[in-house]
């Protein structure tokens, strides 16, 4: 899994990588533990639609996935971590 994520040019910290490999996981962000889900982006997904689905924000998704450079970046097939029920 780590090799696959590296091939997709994802620059994940060890903590993020562990969360990505384990599916649902908690991670510490800004001193808080938050639940993150592993999510594979489809052709119809946008960061906004995924954020709405998991009750979070595009800004939070981008904060967790530092390799995402733009909220409009094409992410089809990419695995992202989505903070669940986390709006700030």
């Amino acid at each position: 899994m780590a090799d696959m994520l590296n091939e997709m040019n994802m620059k994940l910290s060890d903590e993020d990588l562990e969360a990505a490999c384990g599916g649902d996981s908690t991670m510490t962000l800004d001193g808080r533990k938050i639940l993150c889900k592993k999510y594979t982006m489809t052709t119809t997904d946008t960061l906004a639609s995924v954020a709405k689905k998991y009750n979070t924000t595009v800004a939070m998704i981008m904060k967790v996935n530092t390799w995402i450079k733009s909220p409009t970046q094409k992410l089809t097939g990419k695995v992202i971590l989505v903070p669940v029920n986390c709006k700030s």
Side-chain angles (χ1 to χ4, degrees):
M1 179 73 160
D3 291 335
M4 183 177 75
L5 291 172
N6 286 332
E7 285 175 16
M8 295 182 341
N9 294 321
M10 293 184 175
K11 295 176 182 158
L12 299 175
S13 70
D14 289 342
E15 185 175 358
D16 292 341
L17 186 58
E18 182 180 331
C21 292
D24 295 354
S25 184
T26 58
M27 66 184 301
T28 302
L29 184 66
D30 296 334
R32 296 182 308 171
K33 286 200 174 203
I34 57 172
L35 174 67
C36 287
K37 287 187 117 4
K38 182 175 73 169
Y39 185 84
T40 303
M41 298 290 286
T42 69
T43 56
T44 59
D45 285 327
T46 63
L47 289 182
S49 68
V50 173
K52 184 176 181 179
K53 180 177 182 175
Y54 289 101
N55 194 35
T56 190
T57 64
V58 170
M60 287 301 297
I61 292 173
M62 291 183 69
K63 194 170 194 174
V64 171
N65 299 276
T66 57
W67 56 272
I68 299 175
K69 302 301 180 202
S70 165
T72 58
Q73 182 176 333
K74 295 289 182 189
L75 298 170
T76 301
K78 300 285 187 189
V79 177
I80 65 170
L81 296 175
V82 182
V84 178
N85 296 320
C86 186
K87 294 212 174 203
S88 61

